[in-house]
Structure formats: C-alpha cells, structure tokens
Amino acid sequence: MSYHILNLRSVVAYVKSRTEAASLLDVTGVLAAQEISDGNLNAVFRVAEVSGPRSVLVKQGLPYLRVAGEVWPLSQERADFEARSLARQHAAAPGLVPRPLWHDHEMAVNVMEDLREHTVIRAPMIAGIRLENLGETIGRFLAATFYESSDFALGSTARRQLSAQFQNVELCDLTEMLVLTEPFYPPPNRNAYLPELQKDLNDLQADAPLRTEVARLKHRFMTCGQALLHGDLHTGSIMASAPDAQGLSNIRVIDSEFAFFGPMGFDIGLFLANLVLAAISQAGHAPDPAECQARHTFLRRQMRSCWTTFEAEFRQRLGSAQSPSWREGAFQDALLTSVLQDAAGYAGCELIRRTVGFAHVLDYDSLQPDAARLSAGQQNLKLGRQLIMQASALRTYDEFEHAVWSELGYAALQPLQQGET
Amino acid sequence: MSYHILNLRSVVAYVKSRTEAASLLDVTGVLAAQEISDGNLNAVFRVAEVSGPRSVLVKQGLPYLRVAGEVWPLSQERADFEARSLARQHAAAPGLVPRPLWHDHEMAVNVMEDLREHTVIRAPMIAGIRLENLGETIGRFLAATFYESSDFALGSTARRQLSAQFQNVELCDLTEMLVLTEPFYPPPNRNAYLPELQKDLNDLQADAPLRTEVARLKHRFMTCGQALLHGDLHTGSIMASAPDAQGLSNIRVIDSEFAFFGPMGFDIGLFLANLVLAAISQAGHAPDPAECQARHTFLRRQMRSCWTTFEAEFRQRLGSAQSPSWREGAFQDALLTSVLQDAAGYAGCELIRRTVGFAHVLDYDSLQPDAARLSAGQQNLKLGRQLIMQASALRTYDEFEHAVWSELGYAALQPLQQGET
C-alpha cells in the first residue's frame, strides 16, 4: 500500500486490510478508531473492537513534525528506526516496552500493543502521583537495552553491523541542534522562552567555559557509539498503569524513534533531568510545603534508584562478558564513572533546553502565575549550568545528588529512610 | 568476471580485459607482470609495458591472510574498504596517496598508480635513510583526511551516512584482538616472542592497572568514531621516492584497507610508535654512537613535526567549521589534548604488540645478535607500558616527547636546533 496519511476512517480500513490483524482483532466485526496523538512527531490511533475487549495501537510517521506542521518536513524513516529499536528493546527488556505487532515500511506505520491501562506519566507526576518503582524500572530497562546492544555483549563484529542499521541522521541532527547547540548560542535559532529570562539567557550564552563543555558533550553525542540508546527518554516517553497501594505499577518505555548508537549517559541524563524538572516545578504545583517536600523525596528516591539499579545490573552483566578486557573491575569502575559524568552533563543540557529551547516540558510550561514559572526557569538554568560545569569532576552518585538537591534548597541532605534507596 | 586468484600470467590477461586500461597502458602491446607483494594481507602485481614507460599496480584481496595462508580465512571485502577510503583520501589529500585507477568488486581488485620511483620506507629507515619531510607530510595527511571525514566538516548527517559505509568489522576485529587484547592476556592468544622475554611479558600481563588502561583504549577504539582513520599507519604503509639533497622526497600513504571511523589518536599513535620502534632498534642497527644519535635526532624531529603539523592544520580547518560549537578555542584545546592522550596510549599498545604480539616489525625482528633484540624488546615493553599508564595525564607534546626520549637515555633533552622543528 503506497503511503497516505491515515485518518479516523482510513485507519480502520487499513487495519482490516492487514493479514496480521486477523489474530489480534475481530476484523469481521465493527472496529472503532480514536486519535490519541500526544507526542511532537507522529499521529497515533487506537483501533478497538466495538463489541469486544481487544485493541491495537497504530502509530504513523507523518512527512513533517506534527507539532510544527508542514513547514518542518521530516522523513518517515523514523518509523523504521522505531520498528528496529522496539524489536531490540522488546528482546532485551521484555515487558518494559509495548509488544511490537507489525511494521509497515511503506505506510511508515508501527502497530503495537495498545496499553489501554497505561497513561503517559508526565501529567500524573505533575499532579503528585507516585510510582515507587519508576526509577528502578527505568534503570533496569537501561542496563538491559544498553548491555545487549554493546560491544560487551555482541563483540565488535555484530555491534558494528548493528550500528550500521541505526544511522538515524535526521533525528540525531534534531537533538544536536535543539538540545546541544541552539540554546547556547544567539540567533539564528528556534529558541522560545519567557521574556523575563532574557538576561539569564544572555549570561548563559556569554559563558565561554560553558559553551566549551557543551561542545565537548555534543561531540561526544555525535561520535561515541557505546550502545543503542532510546534517544528521547523523558517522562513523556514513559507510560504506567495506575499504582497499587504500594505505589507499584506496570511501566513501559515508548517512542524510540530517536534510537541511535551513542553515549549511555545521554539517556540516563535525560531521564534524571526530567525528574529534576518535575522537582523544580513542584514548588509551583504543590503549594503545601510538606506535600512539596514529600514529592521531592519521592523524586530523589527514583533518581537514585534509577542510577543504582542501572549500575548494579550493568556491572552484573559485564561480569559475564566474553572478552577479559571488560571483566576487569577497574575498567568497569572507570566506565561507570564516565557514564555518570556524561549523565550529569546531558542532564544539565536538558534542563536548559527545556526552559529556553524549542520544546519545553509541561511541568514547567504549566506553571502559574508567571512568577512561579520565572522562578523555576531561573532555577533550571542555574542548575543546568552547574551540572554541565561539574560533570567531568563527578566521581560518585552522591556528589551528583548533592549538586541537584542543594540547589533545591536541601543544604544538608538527609539520608533516605530505610527502604527508600 | 567472477573471482579467481590472479597469478603472473592471468593478471596480464585481466588488465587487458578491462576497458579502463586502454587509456593507461598500451594494451595492444606486450605487458609484463611482476609480483611485488610485501604486506601481510594481499597479492600485489606491477603490470608494465615492455616497450614503454607506463605501468599500473594491481592489488588483489585473497580469501585468506597472505602471511598466514588458507588456515586464516579473511573475506575479500577489504578491497571495497580500500577503494572507498582511497577515494576519500585522494580527494582530501591529493598527492599523498596513490591515484586510484579502478576498483573491481567481483575480483577484490584495486588498480592504482604504480609508484615505481617509491619504496616502502621501513627498510630504508632501518638503514639510516633520512626523509626530512616525513613527519610533516604525515601530519598534513592526517589533518586533511581526518578533518574532511569528521562531523566538523561534514555535519552529523553526512558523517553518519559516511560511517555506515565503513563498518569494517573484520579488520577492526583483527586490531582489537591482535593489538588491544592478546598481548595483554595469557593464552589462548597468537602471541609470538623471544623466549627470554617471558618474564617481562609475565610482569606486563600481571599488571592490573595496565590492563585497565588498555581495556579503556580498546573500548574507545571500538566506540569513538571521530573520523575516517587509515587504521594501519605504520612505516610499512608509507612509500617515498629517494630523498633529494635536502632529504625531501615524495611521500605516499598506501594500504588503507583497515579504514574505519575511530579515535584520531589511533592513527597518530601508530605512526609515532613506529618511529619509536625505529629509534629503539637503532642501538643495534647503527653501532656507531654518533650515527645512532643522529638518527635519533632525525626521528625525534619527524615525530614532533608530525604532531605539530597535524595540530596546526587541524586547528586551522576547525576555524572554518560551520557549527559555532567547533570554533570555540577551548573546545579545540581540549579536543587536541585528548587526541594527544589517545595517541600516547595507542603508541604504547603498538610498542608492546610489535614485540610480543602476532605481527612484529622488521626494525626489531632483524636485530642481531639476540642480545640486541632482547634489549630492544625489553625497552619496547617498558616504554610501551609507561606511555599507556601516562597517557591520560599528558597535557603537551613536550611531555610526550620527554617520556619517549628519557627512556632512550636522553635524560636532559636538548632543544632541537633552529629549523629542526
């Protein structure tokens, strides 16, 4: 079927036309479609049985950036990258991504498990919902998907062959421009920000040592192919079912069309930064100080849990690597320190670009009144800058944690309670 | 034409059968072939007019490693990598590589300019021939080929597309095993060495901090795709015409079938290490102390000239990069420091593997008597280890130079004479 943009009517016909659908849905009965597009890039439909419980999710790449429209063309090959990366994530971390059902290259469509009981977590987190297994699950996802795509697991031959399938030039270029370049330089750029932040932004763009570190991180992003990354791992790329009484839920990572071989710290840094953005915005979203502090403690716990889970599981896997080179304890220590440093640096870039760059986050943009947004924006920029400048000197997660939370006013950081780490 | 191994007779028929040959040779006359295979991997023929001055060089990839024979199979795709890399080198650094004439994928053949006036430089250098423009030429070659294939010149889109064409898995695997793994670990391996070096080798393989640094360098080799490297830049991969009265000659880099995207310091380190190997062996090759010292001074000058030329020309090119990120002076400083550190580390690995690994160098293997070889071998291992351990702390070329030459007994290094740098 040659490419055409699906709508509420044609997506039903499309699904019915595919042989793969027969075992997934009652294709002889009535199917109903619903558009649930949410991200910046694609059109997403739920196609469900009207008289039955089953449904699938149909995601189509449009020939332009959905949020910007036809003025910002984008090729549909991102659907191929999502298909390839989702298949590998599903194999490496089963149960942590939607199950892939079929990929249609011509139509730039990926059909996958419809996570009807799940919600994208950004908005619920703004509202204070606590998913107590969030950090641990993401840490596990990262350890598994990174390791299984790395030279450590695959050896260089298979890894280099795999890399060749992930030359995701268009979306990497977006990240390089929107995350790692434009926020740090004066126009021409696509930056957008509160006018009251102009002075802070001028200061930031006049900071030559900062620009040097960002250039270093950008060059590393471009050249350091350690593992197959998700590439866009923020809280808008994670879904969860409603938490049970213990705060535990089923958590899935979605939207991997930015997947490419890069430095592992990039994904980790983006995830951590989005929890920091959530934390900074809570001063505005949770006016009750005790509630705000409780949410902060929750976020601090998730961040720590993400890192410690990632580190422990990645080390465990390295212990079974075939080459003796990777089983050297001191090599593992040095590698994980450099991943932490990268994570801190990219986290800093994410804090800044989500405040003054092209694409913000709801945590920050939804703050009312403007004074709360301005204050959060200034804090994002200040902490982002500090993390970038301190990144190369970081040695332990404790140092990273201290850098973050002292900026949020927790001068003497209390140890997390038993059971909180 | 389906693949068959060429011999002295069939190579003439092969050349005559190709339309590309008509403008290069008198294909209606008598052509004579001569086998001039020299490297470890391929068969190489000169096909020349008997009654005229013209000739071409025919290089064919065999389905095995030439020096090891059919027991060590190797795919012929290396001829494709050589064709692609030679074309790019020729465009980026015209006159510094043989002119490519044609590539025949089926036959795994590359036909190129026959450098009849040129000789591979390793043996002449052992004999004390001084090519005063060697270092400068190689520095220029490296700056041009690296820059033109990097994100700095191409931007990320074109660079990622180009990388996809250089997934040179088989030959990268050889380097990872033979250069960056086996020399540092006990059997199973393919190491070969003087029995008298057993104790030194045991010490080296018992050195856990050394293994950690080597694992780091190996991981960097595997994941850090900064530029299109030559991949095997030793003095057996460089040819030169006879030097004129000033020691100047026409210099060409050959044999780029190992080409891949890697850390720039790898090529630089291999070249520098091969001059160090040449220097250490001169104690045996030039028994006259004054002559030995003169050759050392020559080699020291070429090494410095290679680095300073590379650095100056690479910086100059970076100054015209499109992205403002790469024009930051401090970014350039940090980048070049890290390239120097990589160069030192890989130079150390090369010194060690050429002494105890699978493939040695003539400089060292030709030393007589055994006592001279043993002494040079011990020095190679000692300096190799030091360079690997000091690499990450190096800040300037002076520090690198001091590390090398103090080990060769030049405790107080005299500045090079005017005109020597």
Side-chain angles (χ1 to χ4, degrees):
Chain A
M1 190 176 298
S2 68
Y3 183 81
H4 57 275
I5 294 179
L6 293 171
N7 58 33
L8 280 175
R9 184 158 31 197
S10 63
V11 70
V12 171
Y14 169 75
V15 167
K16 288 197 172 198
S17 76
R18 297 285 302 201
T19 53
E20 297 95 332
S23 61
L24 302 165
L25 294 168
D26 176 10
V27 290
T28 61
V30 181
L31 299 178
Q34 177 186 5
E35 180 162 4
I36 52 173
S37 309
D38 179 33
N40 292 330
L41 270 65
N42 306 292
V44 184
F45 300 93
R46 165 173 296 142
V47 177
E49 296 171 345
V50 167
S51 334
R54 297 181 299 175
S55 62
V56 297
L57 187 119
V58 179
K59 180 171 174 180
Q60 184 177 41
L62 305 177
Y64 47 81
L65 196 69
R66 193 179 71 90
V67 286
E70 301 188 19
V71 296
W72 192 321
L74 205 60
S75 85
Q76 294 120 277
E77 67 172 9
R78 63 190 184 276
D80 301 333
F81 288 112
E82 178 162 12
R84 282 183 216 137
S85 55
L86 182 60
R88 292 202 71 91
Q89 291 168 347
H90 183 65
L96 300 187
V97 293
R99 190 160 56 90
L101 300 174
W102 78 78
H103 170 57
D104 182 338
H105 168 76
E106 289 282 307
M107 286 290 285
V109 156
N110 282 299
V111 180
M112 60 192 85
E113 178 182 8
D114 179 25
L115 301 168
R116 291 182 88 145
E117 311 299 319
H118 292 62
T119 314
V120 171
I121 67 173
R122 190 182 295 279
M125 283 181 67
I126 293 171
I129 300 291
R130 295 178 205 161
L131 308 168
E132 292 291 351
N133 58 334
L134 174 62
E136 181 266 334
T137 306
I138 300 302
R140 202 148 43 87
F141 169 80
L142 293 167
T145 57
F146 288 174
Y147 187 81
E148 295 303 330
S149 61
S150 71
D151 292 284
F152 309 129
L154 298 177
S156 116
T157 299
R159 202 275 300 157
R160 288 183 190 272
Q161 283 162 347
L162 185 63
S163 300
Q165 298 172 27
F166 283 96
Q167 299 298 332
N168 197 346
V169 298
E170 196 171 27
L171 296 191
C172 285
D173 190 59
L174 268 189
T175 303
E176 289 153 18
M177 296 309 294
L178 298 182
V179 183
L180 300 169
T181 311
E182 294 184 4
F184 303 93
Y185 290 90
N189 61 44
R190 287 158 284 198
N191 293 341
Y193 47 89
L194 273 187
E196 293 84 351
L197 282 174
Q198 187 66 56
K199 186 186 170 307
D200 300 84
L201 183 58
N202 290 349
D203 285 354
L204 187 143
Q205 293 182 344
D207 184 343
L210 179 74
R211 291 199 312 265
T212 299
E213 285 306 298
V214 173
R216 184 184 66 75
L217 288 161
K218 176 178 164 184
H219 189 229
R220 205 162 156 74
F221 176 90
M222 295 166 89
T223 57
C224 180
Q226 295 179 334
L228 182 60
L229 308 191
H230 178 279
D232 192 31
L233 189 61
H234 53 75
T235 46
S237 298
I238 300 170
M239 299 185 84
S241 60
D244 65 15
Q246 282 74 48
L248 305 180
S249 63
N250 186 289
I251 291 171
R252 310 286 189 115
V253 176
I254 64 170
D255 288 353
S256 60
E257 56 264 70
F258 280 80
F260 76 109
F261 272 81
M264 298 187 281
F266 181 77
D267 271 2
I268 300 174
L270 250 60
F271 176 70
L272 295 179
N274 275 267
L275 299 200
V276 173
L277 288 163
I280 289 177
S281 74
Q282 283 300 332
H285 296 305
D288 173 54
E291 173 63 15
C292 182
Q293 191 172 339
R295 293 183 187 179
H296 281 174
T297 303
F298 159 75
L299 289 165
R300 179 179 156 211
R301 206 156 56 218
Q302 300 315 309
M303 290 171 62
R304 174 173 278 269
S305 171
C306 173
W307 174 261
T308 56
T309 303
F310 163 74
E311 178 173 5
E313 300 215 350
F314 200 81
R315 274 184 195 271
Q316 189 179 26
R317 287 164 191 264
L318 274 173
S320 67
Q322 206 187 341
S323 168
S325 306
W326 318 137
R327 298 195 302 267
E328 305 283 348
F331 167 76
Q332 298 178 5
D333 295 344
L335 175 71
L336 284 155
T337 301
S338 85
V339 173
L340 177 69
Q341 293 173 344
D342 285 347
Y346 293 117
C349 296
E350 175 78 354
L351 289 179
I352 290 170
R353 77 98 168 196
R354 291 300 197 180
T355 308
V356 298
F358 173 75
H360 297 187
V361 289
L362 189 65
D363 315 61
Y364 167 69
D365 272 0
S366 64
L367 284 169
Q368 298 294 337
D370 280 0
R373 191 144 95 255
L374 178 60
S375 161
Q378 288 174 324
Q379 212 165 7
N380 293 347
L381 295 185
K382 183 173 172 211
L383 178 55
R385 200 164 161 178
Q386 284 174 8
L387 288 178
I388 293 168
M389 294 311 294
Q390 294 171 9
S392 295
L394 282 182
R395 286 290 169 272
T396 64
Y397 185 81
D398 285 350
E399 292 174 12
F400 173 79
E401 182 172 74
H402 179 78
V404 170
W405 297 97
S406 63
E407 178 52 35
L408 270 97
Y410 296 82
L413 208 56
Q414 298 300 310
L416 289 164
Q417 298 295 307
Q418 191 73 19
E420 286 190 329
T421 51
Chain B
M1 190 177 297
S2 68
Y3 183 81
H4 58 275
I5 295 179
L6 293 171
N7 58 34
L8 281 175
R9 182 156 34 196
S10 61
V11 71
V12 171
Y14 169 75
V15 167
K16 289 197 169 197
S17 76
R18 295 286 301 202
T19 54
E20 297 95 332
S23 62
L24 302 165
L25 295 168
D26 176 11
V27 291
T28 61
V30 180
L31 298 178
Q34 176 187 5
E35 180 161 5
I36 53 173
S37 310
D38 179 35
N40 292 331
L41 270 66
N42 306 291
V44 184
F45 302 92
R46 165 172 297 142
V47 176
E49 296 171 346
V50 168
S51 336
R54 296 182 298 175
S55 61
V56 297
L57 188 118
V58 180
K59 180 171 174 181
Q60 182 177 41
L62 305 177
Y64 47 80
L65 196 70
R66 193 179 70 91
V67 286
E70 301 188 21
V71 295
W72 192 321
L74 206 59
S75 85
Q76 295 120 275
E77 66 172 10
R78 63 189 184 278
D80 301 333
F81 288 112
E82 179 163 12
R84 279 180 218 139
S85 55
L86 182 59
R88 293 203 69 90
Q89 291 167 348
H90 183 65
L96 300 187
V97 293
R99 190 160 55 89
L101 300 174
W102 78 78
H103 170 57
D104 182 339
H105 167 75
E106 289 283 307
M107 285 290 285
V109 157
N110 283 299
V111 179
M112 60 193 85
E113 178 182 8
D114 180 25
L115 301 169
R116 292 181 88 146
E117 311 299 318
H118 292 63
T119 314
V120 171
I121 66 172
R122 191 183 293 280
M125 283 181 66
I126 293 171
I129 300 290
R130 294 179 206 161
L131 308 167
E132 292 291 350
N133 58 335
L134 174 63
E136 180 266 333
T137 306
I138 299 303
R140 202 149 40 88
F141 169 81
L142 293 168
T145 56
F146 288 173
Y147 187 81
E148 295 304 327
S149 61
S150 71
D151 292 283
F152 309 129
L154 298 177
S156 116
T157 300
R159 202 276 301 158
R160 287 184 190 271
Q161 283 161 347
L162 186 63
S163 301
Q165 297 172 28
F166 283 96
Q167 298 297 332
N168 198 346
V169 299
E170 197 171 26
L171 295 191
C172 285
D173 190 59
L174 267 188
T175 302
E176 289 152 18
M177 295 310 293
L178 298 183
V179 184
L180 300 168
T181 310
E182 294 184 4
F184 304 93
Y185 290 91
N189 60 45
R190 287 157 285 196
N191 293 341
Y193 47 90
L194 274 187
E196 294 83 352
L197 282 174
Q198 188 66 57
K199 185 186 171 307
D200 300 83
L201 183 58
N202 290 348
D203 286 353
L204 187 144
Q205 293 182 344
D207 183 343
L210 179 75
R211 291 199 312 265
T212 298
E213 285 305 298
V214 173
R216 184 184 66 74
L217 288 161
K218 175 178 165 185
H219 188 231
R220 206 161 156 73
F221 176 90
M222 295 167 88
T223 57
C224 180
Q226 295 178 336
L228 182 60
L229 308 191
H230 178 278
D232 192 31
L233 189 61
H234 53 76
T235 46
S237 298
I238 299 171
M239 299 185 85
S241 60
D244 65 15
Q246 283 72 48
L248 305 179
S249 63
N250 185 290
I251 290 171
R252 311 285 190 115
V253 176
I254 64 170
D255 288 353
S256 61
E257 56 263 72
F258 280 80
F260 76 109
F261 272 80
M264 299 188 280
F266 182 76
D267 271 2
I268 300 173
L270 249 59
F271 176 70
L272 295 178
N274 275 266
L275 299 201
V276 173
L277 289 162
I280 289 177
S281 75
Q282 283 300 333
H285 295 305
D288 174 54
E291 172 63 16
C292 183
Q293 192 173 338
R295 293 184 187 179
H296 281 173
T297 303
F298 160 75
L299 289 165
R300 181 180 154 210
R301 205 155 58 220
Q302 300 316 309
M303 289 171 63
R304 173 172 280 268
S305 172
C306 174
W307 174 260
T308 56
T309 304
F310 164 73
E311 178 174 5
E313 299 215 351
F314 200 80
R315 273 182 197 273
Q316 189 179 24
R317 288 164 189 266
L318 274 173
S320 66
Q322 205 187 341
S323 168
S325 306
W326 318 136
R327 298 195 302 268
E328 305 283 347
F331 167 74
Q332 298 177 6
D333 294 345
L335 175 70
L336 284 155
T337 300
S338 86
V339 173
L340 177 69
Q341 293 174 344
D342 285 347
Y346 293 117
C349 296
E350 175 77 355
L351 290 179
I352 291 169
R353 77 98 168 198
R354 292 300 197 179
T355 308
V356 298
F358 173 74
H360 297 187
V361 289
L362 188 65
D363 315 61
Y364 167 69
D365 272 0
S366 63
L367 283 169
Q368 299 294 339
D370 281 2
R373 191 144 94 253
L374 177 60
S375 163
Q378 288 173 325
Q379 213 165 6
N380 293 346
L381 295 184
K382 185 175 170 209
L383 178 55
R385 200 164 161 177
Q386 284 173 10
L387 288 178
I388 292 168
M389 294 310 294
Q390 293 170 10
S392 295
L394 282 183
R395 286 290 170 272
T396 65
Y397 185 81
D398 285 351
E399 292 174 12
F400 173 78
E401 183 172 73
H402 178 78
V404 169
W405 296 98
S406 63
E407 178 52 33
L408 270 96
Y410 296 81
L413 207 56
Q414 297 300 311
L416 289 165
Q417 298 295 309
Q418 192 73 19
E420 287 192 330
T421 50

